[in-house]
Amino acid sequence: MKYQKLFEPGKIAGLELKNRIVMAPMVTMTFGAEGELTERTADYYAARAKGGVGLIICQSSLIMRESRAPFRCSIYDDKFIPGFQKVAQAIHAHGAKAAFQIIHHGRALADYKALLPNPEEIRPLAPSPLSRLLGSESRLGPDGQPTSLAAGDAVPPEASVEDIERIKEGFAQAARRIRAAGFDAVEIMAGHGYLLGQFLSPLFNRRSDQYGGSPENRARFAGEVIAAVKKTAGPDFPVILRISGSDFLPGGASLQETVQQAPFFIRAGADALHVSAGEQATTDRCYPSFIYPQGVHVSLAEAVKKVSPVPVITVGKIFDPALAEQILAENKADFVALGRPLLADPDWPNKVRDGRLAEIRPCIYCLNCLNFADHPYILGRGLTCSVNPAVLREKEFEPVKIANPKKILVVGGGPAGMEAARTLALRGHRVELHEKGDRLGGQWFIAGRQKQKREDYPRLLDYLVAGVARAGVAVHLNSLVTAELVKTIAPDAVIVAAGARPASLNVPGADGPNVFQANDLILGRVKPGSTVVVVGGRTLGLEIADQLADEAKKVTLVTRRQLGRGVERNVYLALRNRLIPKGVHLFPHSPVTAIKEDGVYAVFNNDLLFLPADTVVLAVGVQPENALVRELEAGGPEVHQIGDCLKPRDLMDAIREAAETARRI
């Protein structure tokens, strides 16, 4: 076997694991009204266990009724144990071990109260009464409670020693219930800026009692929680502690302090340390996107492992099995945790073990699984994935051959067209895919050429192209489909996935010789000058500004709406934080009124503003290519319209629509 270390058995305390692959916890949002787990949750975890993972650490669960938060399941009462039992049994049925994470959100609860029924029952607490907005000081309001100078920012009260005792008991009882439900271990969340992590941070913990001050004092609360869990759930019940190796915040929790605190946690009873990164203000580090390199946080785990006699789990954008093997072989960690790669492909472990690497559906680290702004349906139906529409619909998406195969014409070779063609062919239909260009990929090929996406996005294109070939789809390149060609082919149904073309601006000068589309820049068709104005403040505009700044251009970005509108928060934070130190000037809420040879006029703060530039790059969205649909609607075979040619959106909508449409025909 090529990946011997990855598939070598391992142990956490007395818990024996069949390999070194761990599934990291990810919220599913598939709960009942009070947070009880559902059958869909069990099916979801069963699919990952069947895929060959050694240990599944299930999503975080709430330990106390007073600490309820949205999108989380509950374990604060014995009545939740039966639902947890179903999940444990589903995981064990396929040979994996199971743990569940327990959490208290701390000061973050102040932001969640309004989203919950009976918000008066929620008790946000913090190590110290400080604003979550750094630099915004707190003060006492008229009611004597802490408030913030920043509008809309609630400041929770300082946790008393009595609060700490009550919360420790909440963690202990939650762990007892998890063991009673049949789980093999429990993970305590002390990272990502939640309550225990807040106590660890010198930035947010300003206490002067035994829970504040020195690194060991700030670690005391987490250590006492570990001890309480051991006492109540049993000394032989393995406890994993998840920590942030660094908050990546000035004055916050640092790797140096984490290395100091790790032995303290182990003496308290931690049987393994799960080393992540980031805090609520740096969640782009908690969930690294395509902007970050693979294995971005391995060095944090490596530093902790040097002082840890118990196993260390590393996590954070690890998708290549060769890298996972290298991490283990070089003794940088004892286990490798995968999160989003197991959303994209639950069978990642089995495919790696069997040498079927080309068949792995790759995670592209787009973070659309967290993008509620552009994909509000996530809140209604649960966690989803841009590349795998079967997430939380595993049974529904099991392949079933069609009884009466049809002849299907798919128009367009982008992701939507390829996913539809592949799915139709696997169901038994006779499928032709026609692409007007000389290669498959559509807009996705261009996206994969962008500087920030070259590591992640092309892998999906390779997977889709190979999948179309394996399914037996007849592919025709350089084939422009017209109504006449449809008549000649005579299909039973047509799926139009013709994509979209870049949009322009309806302002004077938008067609000038100094105005270029972002796509032309990405493909190297044009050369920008030394001073550039980028128009458009969503993902593409931010990425183009970042790329040009790296090329020593003087860059200004202007957008008519909010900067980063609709962009997943972690992606936005990472891009914004790259632009500022590179000197990119940002002008949100500034609509462009005219483009001249020497610059751009925009409205900023209700005043006309001139932004000098020798080059203007447009990143203002796309227009659907739907002319063929209008022609075919006059009569002929049934027509289905999917992807951007129906309505410009993103990859998640395109692939989901393609998969669902292909299953209805």
Side-chain angles (χ1 to χ4, degrees):
M1 186 185 298
K2 184 176 180 180
Y3 302 103
Q4 292 182 355
K5 282 288 185 182
L6 198 55
F7 291 94
E8 181 181 85
K11 290 182 71 174
I12 295 177
L15 179 62
E16 296 185 359
L17 305 176
K18 65 182 180 182
N19 58 43
R20 302 303 179 106
I21 305 169
V22 175
M23 180 177 174
M26 294 172 288
V27 65
T28 63
M29 292 173 287
T30 51
F31 323 121
E34 294 188 78
E36 62 273 20
L37 296 178
T38 65
E39 289 288 345
R40 290 177 66 209
T41 314
D43 292 341
Y44 161 84
Y45 284 119
R48 274 79 201 162
K50 186 178 180 181
V53 69
L55 171 66
I56 293 179
I57 305 176
C58 299
Q59 61 203 294
S60 55
S61 51
L62 304 172
I63 62 169
M64 304 168 75
R65 182 172 175 81
E66 68 181 54
S67 66
R68 299 194 311 283
F71 322 134
R72 310 279 179 174
C73 62
S74 299
I75 193 62
Y76 59 78
D77 191 281
D78 284 3
K79 67 183 178 182
F80 297 112
I81 292 176
F84 276 64
Q85 284 177 324
K86 292 179 181 178
V87 171
Q89 290 165 0
I91 293 171
H92 289 152
H94 296 286
K97 301 298 184 182
F100 224 106
Q101 188 185 89
I102 49 180
I103 191 171
H104 191 298
H105 285 66
R107 64 192 181 99
L109 288 172
D111 300 320
Y112 297 148
K113 287 182 66 171
L115 301 176
L116 293 166
N118 307 314
E120 69 282 355
E121 297 178 357
I122 308 303
R123 294 192 60 188
L125 293 168
S128 302
L130 298 170
S131 167
R132 65 176 174 82
L133 301 175
L134 301 179
S136 176
E137 296 298 326
S138 59
R139 59 180 178 177
L140 294 181
D143 58 356
Q145 295 299 311
T147 186
S148 173
L149 295 177
D153 178 38
V155 178
E158 179 174 293
S160 67
V161 173
E162 290 76 17
D163 291 326
I164 289 172
E165 291 298 321
R166 189 178 69 257
I167 292 168
K168 284 192 296 187
E169 181 64 12
F171 272 107
Q173 292 301 323
R176 173 189 62 80
R177 295 181 188 109
I178 285 170
R179 182 167 196 175
F183 282 84
D184 304 293
V186 66
E187 178 172 89
I188 299 169
M189 176 50 124
H192 291 192
Y194 295 112
L195 181 63
L196 298 182
Q198 294 160 23
F199 269 80
L200 295 175
S201 169
L203 191 61
F204 298 112
N205 183 348
R206 311 289 178 84
R207 301 171 74 100
S208 58
D209 63 3
Q210 70 268 35
Y211 294 103
S214 68
E216 185 167 296
N217 274 359
R218 282 183 273 111
R220 188 181 304 277
F221 187 12
E224 290 179 354
V225 167
I226 296 169
V229 165
K230 281 287 189 181
K231 181 180 178 181
T232 303
D236 60 336
F237 191 50
V239 172
I240 304 166
L241 185 71
R242 196 176 206 201
I243 54 177
S244 289
S246 172
D247 283 350
F248 292 99
L249 272 179
S254 66
L255 179 57
Q256 181 181 3
E257 286 200 347
T258 300
V259 170
Q260 286 180 260
Q261 293 165 335
F264 180 84
F265 300 138
I266 296 165
R267 290 195 298 270
D271 296 299
L273 299 176
H274 188 176
V275 184
S276 184
E279 196 270 341
Q280 294 296 293
T282 55
T283 54
D284 57 308
R285 292 286 188 165
C286 303
Y287 319 106
S289 68
F290 57 83
I291 297 164
Y292 288 100
Q294 187 183 187
V296 62
H297 298 320
V298 172
S299 61
L300 304 178
E302 181 181 13
V304 172
K305 180 162 173 54
K306 289 177 180 177
V307 300
S308 174
V310 302
V312 170
I313 306 168
T314 188
V315 69
K317 197 177 179 184
I318 300 169
F319 60 80
D320 185 349
L323 175 62
E325 179 77 6
Q326 181 183 352
I327 291 167
L328 298 172
E330 295 178 356
N331 206 30
K332 294 179 178 179
D334 300 284
F335 294 89
V336 174
L338 310 180
R340 288 162 287 171
L342 293 173
L343 284 187
D345 196 332
D347 295 320
W348 188 98
N350 286 341
K351 289 178 179 178
V352 171
R353 182 198 62 204
D354 297 341
R356 296 182 288 133
L357 302 189
E359 297 179 29
I360 295 175
R361 185 190 295 109
C363 173
I364 58 171
Y365 293 92
C366 62
L367 283 173
N368 263 342
C369 47
L370 299 176
N371 191 355
F372 305 150
D374 269 8
H375 304 286
Y377 57 78
I378 295 175
L379 299 178
R381 56 145 290 205
L383 181 67
T384 189
C385 171
S386 287
V387 303
N388 182 12
V391 172
L392 286 170
R393 295 190 285 178
E394 284 77 16
K395 289 184 176 178
E396 174 189 340
F397 273 67
E398 289 177 357
V400 177
K401 288 287 187 179
I402 192 76
N404 300 301
K406 295 181 178 180
K407 184 178 183 180
I408 313 292
L409 169 62
V410 178
V411 182
M418 286 191 283
E419 175 67 17
R422 182 188 69 88
T423 304
L424 287 162
L426 290 175
R427 296 185 63 221
H429 292 296
R430 304 183 305 279
V431 186
E432 292 185 21
L433 186 153
H434 289 247
E435 162 58 41
K436 67 179 180 181
D438 59 1
R439 62 175 179 263
L440 295 175
Q443 295 292 320
W444 197 254
F445 172 81
I446 300 174
R449 300 287 295 273
Q450 288 176 243
K451 179 179 179 180
Q452 302 88 346
K453 295 173 175 173
R454 288 173 190 163
E455 181 179 55
D456 297 315
Y457 278 33
R459 292 182 295 111
L460 177 64
L461 180 55
D462 293 342
Y463 168 80
L464 290 170
V465 172
V468 165
R470 280 195 301 269
V473 175
V475 175
H476 301 267
L477 300 177
N478 299 304
S479 177
L480 178 64
V481 176
T482 62
E484 290 73 22
L485 181 59
V486 173
K487 289 180 182 178
T488 301
I489 295 172
D492 298 303
V494 179
I495 293 183
V496 181
R501 62 187 182 279
S504 186
L505 288 176
N506 185 23
V507 300
D511 57 351
N514 61 329
V515 181
F516 306 122
Q517 287 289 346
N519 281 1
D520 292 326
L521 196 72
I522 294 166
L523 294 173
R525 295 170 178 164
V526 297
K527 298 294 183 183
S530 59
T531 306
V532 185
V533 169
V534 177
V535 184
R538 301 191 74 173
T539 305
L540 181 58
L542 293 166
E543 290 171 345
I544 291 295
D546 180 47
Q547 177 177 327
L548 290 169
D550 281 344
E551 297 171 2
K553 310 296 184 184
K554 184 178 179 182
V555 183
T556 299
L557 186 148
V558 59
T559 178
R560 66 191 178 98
R561 295 186 182 176
Q562 177 182 342
L563 187 68
R565 177 178 60 89
V567 181
E568 197 282 322
R569 180 174 181 265
N570 301 295
V571 173
Y572 164 69
L573 286 176
L575 285 169
R576 183 203 66 183
N577 293 345
R578 286 163 65 105
L579 295 179
I580 293 170
K582 294 176 184 179
V584 176
H585 297 282
L586 305 173
F587 289 91
H589 304 292
S590 303
V592 170
T593 59
I595 300 175
K596 303 292 184 181
E597 291 182 1
D598 56 348
V600 171
Y601 281 102
V603 176
F604 178 66
N605 281 348
N606 294 319
D607 290 314
L608 195 62
L609 173 70
F610 183 73
L611 302 170
D614 52 35
T615 305
V616 178
V617 179
L618 301 183
V620 293
V622 294
Q623 295 289 333
E625 294 276 18
N626 53 19
L628 178 63
V629 175
R630 292 195 298 269
E631 291 182 45
L632 296 179
E633 283 176 346
E638 62 177 283
V639 178
H640 303 269
Q641 191 176 0
I642 62 173
D644 282 354
C645 74
L646 174 63
K647 179 182 178 182
R649 288 151 297 161
D650 65 14
L651 181 77
M652 178 180 285
D653 292 302
I655 286 188
R656 178 179 58 88
E657 239 164 40
E660 291 174 350
T661 300
R663 280 166 173 77
R664 289 196 299 266
I665 295 176

